[in-house]
Coordinates of all heavy atoms in Angstrom, one line a residue:
V65 N 29.9 -34.7 -3.9 CA 30.8 -35.6 -4.6 C 32.3 -35.1 -4.5 O 33.2 -35.9 -4.4 CB 30.4 -35.6 -6.1 CG1 31.5 -36.3 -7.0 CG2 29.1 -36.3 -6.3
R66 N 32.5 -33.8 -4.5 CA 33.9 -33.2 -4.3 C 34.5 -33.6 -3.0 O 35.7 -33.9 -2.9 CB 33.8 -31.7 -4.5 CG 33.8 -31.2 -5.9 CD 34.1 -29.7 -6.0 NE 33.1 -28.9 -5.4 CZ 32.1 -28.3 -6.0 NH1 32.0 -28.5 -7.4 NH2 31.2 -27.6 -5.4
G67 N 33.7 -33.7 -2.0 CA 34.2 -34.3 -0.7 C 35.0 -33.3 0.1 O 35.6 -33.7 1.1
G68 N 35.1 -32.0 -0.2 CA 35.9 -31.1 0.5 C 35.3 -30.7 1.8 O 36.0 -30.2 2.7
D69 N 34.0 -30.7 2.0 CA 33.3 -30.3 3.2 C 32.6 -31.4 3.9 O 32.2 -32.4 3.2 CB 32.3 -29.2 2.9 CG 33.0 -27.9 2.3 OD1 34.0 -27.5 2.8 OD2 32.4 -27.4 1.3
D70 N 32.4 -31.3 5.2 CA 31.6 -32.3 5.9 C 30.1 -32.1 5.5 O 29.7 -31.0 5.1 CB 31.8 -32.3 7.4 CG 31.3 -31.0 8.0 OD1 30.1 -30.8 8.3 OD2 32.2 -30.0 8.1
L71 N 29.3 -33.2 5.7 CA 27.9 -33.1 5.3 C 27.1 -32.1 6.0 O 26.2 -31.5 5.5 CB 27.3 -34.5 5.4 CG 27.9 -35.6 4.4 CD1 27.2 -36.9 4.6 CD2 27.7 -35.1 3.0
L72 N 27.4 -31.9 7.3 CA 26.7 -30.9 8.1 C 26.9 -29.5 7.5 O 26.0 -28.7 7.4 CB 27.1 -30.9 9.6 CG 26.4 -29.9 10.5 CD1 24.9 -30.0 10.4 CD2 26.9 -30.0 11.9
G73 N 28.2 -29.2 7.1 CA 28.5 -27.9 6.5 C 27.7 -27.7 5.2 O 27.2 -26.6 5.0
I74 N 27.6 -28.7 4.4 CA 26.9 -28.6 3.2 C 25.4 -28.4 3.4 O 24.7 -27.6 2.8 CB 27.1 -29.9 2.3 CG1 28.6 -30.0 1.9 CG2 26.2 -29.9 1.1 CD1 29.0 -31.3 1.2
A75 N 24.9 -29.2 4.4 CA 23.5 -29.1 4.8 C 23.1 -27.6 5.2 O 22.1 -27.1 4.7 CB 23.1 -30.0 5.9
V76 N 23.9 -27.0 6.0 CA 23.7 -25.7 6.5 C 23.8 -24.7 5.3 O 23.0 -23.7 5.2 CB 24.7 -25.3 7.6 CG1 24.6 -23.8 7.9 CG2 24.4 -26.1 8.9
R77 N 24.7 -24.9 4.4 CA 24.9 -24.0 3.3 C 23.6 -23.9 2.4 O 23.3 -22.9 1.9 CB 26.1 -24.5 2.4 CG 26.4 -23.6 1.2 CD 27.6 -24.2 0.5 NE 28.7 -24.4 1.4 CZ 29.6 -25.4 1.3 NH1 29.5 -26.2 0.2 NH2 30.6 -25.5 2.1
Y78 N 22.9 -25.0 2.4 CA 21.7 -25.1 1.5 C 20.4 -25.0 2.3 O 19.3 -25.4 1.8 CB 21.7 -26.3 0.6 CG 22.8 -26.2 -0.4 CD1 24.1 -26.9 -0.2 CD2 22.7 -25.4 -1.5 CE1 25.1 -26.7 -1.1 CE2 23.7 -25.3 -2.4 CZ 24.9 -25.9 -2.2 OH 26.0 -25.8 -3.1
G79 N 20.5 -24.4 3.5 CA 19.3 -24.1 4.3 C 18.7 -25.2 5.2 O 17.6 -25.0 5.6
Y80 N 19.5 -26.2 5.5 CA 19.0 -27.3 6.3 C 19.7 -27.3 7.7 O 20.9 -27.1 7.7 CB 19.2 -28.7 5.6 CG 18.4 -28.8 4.4 CD1 18.9 -28.4 3.2 CD2 17.1 -29.3 4.4 CE1 18.1 -28.5 2.0 CE2 16.3 -29.4 3.3 CZ 16.8 -29.0 2.1 OH 16.0 -29.0 0.9
G81 N 19.0 -27.5 8.7 CA 19.5 -27.4 10.1 C 20.2 -28.7 10.6 O 20.8 -28.6 11.6
S82 N 20.1 -29.8 9.8 CA 20.7 -31.0 10.3 C 21.0 -31.9 9.1 O 20.4 -31.7 8.0 CB 19.7 -31.8 11.2 OG 18.6 -32.2 10.5
T83 N 21.9 -32.8 9.3 CA 22.2 -33.7 8.2 C 21.0 -34.7 7.9 O 20.9 -35.1 6.8 CB 23.5 -34.6 8.6 OG1 23.2 -35.3 9.8 CG2 24.7 -33.7 8.7
E84 N 20.2 -34.9 8.9 CA 19.0 -35.8 8.7 C 18.1 -35.1 7.7 O 17.6 -35.7 6.8 CB 18.3 -36.1 10.0 CG 19.1 -37.0 10.9 CD 20.2 -36.3 11.7 OE1 20.3 -35.0 11.6 OE2 21.1 -37.0 12.3
A85 N 17.7 -33.8 7.9 CA 16.8 -33.1 7.1 C 17.4 -33.0 5.7 O 16.7 -33.2 4.7 CB 16.5 -31.7 7.6
F86 N 18.7 -32.7 5.6 CA 19.3 -32.6 4.3 C 19.3 -34.0 3.6 O 19.1 -34.0 2.4 CB 20.8 -32.1 4.5 CG 21.6 -32.1 3.2 CD1 21.4 -31.2 2.2 CD2 22.6 -33.0 3.1 CE1 22.1 -31.2 1.1 CE2 23.4 -33.0 1.9 CZ 23.1 -32.1 0.9
G87 N 19.6 -35.0 4.3 CA 19.6 -36.4 3.8 C 18.3 -36.8 3.2 O 18.2 -37.4 2.1
R88 N 17.2 -36.4 3.9 CA 15.8 -36.7 3.4 C 15.6 -36.0 2.0 O 15.0 -36.6 1.1 CB 14.8 -36.4 4.4 CG 14.7 -37.3 5.6 CD 13.5 -37.1 6.4 NE 13.4 -35.8 7.0 CZ 14.0 -35.5 8.2 NH1 14.6 -36.5 8.9 NH2 13.9 -34.3 8.7
A89 N 15.9 -34.7 2.0 CA 15.7 -33.9 0.8 C 16.6 -34.5 -0.4 O 16.1 -34.6 -1.5 CB 16.0 -32.5 1.0
F90 N 17.8 -34.8 0.0 CA 18.8 -35.3 -1.0 C 18.3 -36.6 -1.6 O 18.3 -36.8 -2.8 CB 20.1 -35.5 -0.4 CG 21.3 -35.7 -1.3 CD1 22.0 -34.6 -1.8 CD2 21.6 -37.0 -1.7 CE1 23.1 -34.8 -2.6 CE2 22.6 -37.2 -2.6 CZ 23.4 -36.1 -3.1
R91 N 17.8 -37.6 -0.7 CA 17.4 -38.8 -1.2 C 16.1 -38.7 -2.0 O 15.9 -39.5 -3.0 CB 17.1 -39.8 0.0 CG 16.7 -41.2 -0.4 CD 16.4 -42.1 0.8 NE 17.6 -42.5 1.4 CZ 18.4 -43.5 1.0 NH1 18.0 -44.2 -0.1 NH2 19.5 -43.9 1.6
S92 N 15.2 -37.8 -1.7 CA 14.0 -37.6 -2.4 C 14.2 -37.2 -3.9 O 13.4 -37.5 -4.7 CB 13.1 -36.6 -1.7 OG 13.6 -35.3 -1.9
V93 N 15.3 -36.5 -4.1 CA 15.7 -36.1 -5.5 C 16.5 -37.1 -6.2 O 16.3 -37.5 -7.3 CB 16.4 -34.7 -5.4 CG1 16.9 -34.3 -6.8 CG2 15.4 -33.6 -4.9
H94 N 17.6 -37.6 -5.5 CA 18.6 -38.4 -6.2 C 18.3 -39.9 -6.0 O 18.9 -40.7 -6.7 CB 20.0 -38.1 -5.7 CG 20.4 -36.7 -6.0 ND1 20.6 -36.2 -7.3 CD2 20.6 -35.6 -5.2 CE1 20.9 -34.9 -7.2 NE2 20.9 -34.5 -6.0
G95 N 17.5 -40.3 -5.0 CA 17.2 -41.7 -4.8 C 18.3 -42.4 -4.1 O 18.4 -43.6 -4.0

Side-chain angles (χ1 to χ4, degrees):
V65 171
R66 279 195 293 264
D69 299 315
D70 63 85
L71 293 180
L72 179 58
I74 297 173
V76 171
R77 183 179 309 147
Y78 291 99
Y80 294 89
S82 67
T83 55
E84 290 78 10
F86 175 70
R88 287 192 296 271
F90 193 93
R91 181 181 287 277
S92 71
V93 172
H94 298 295

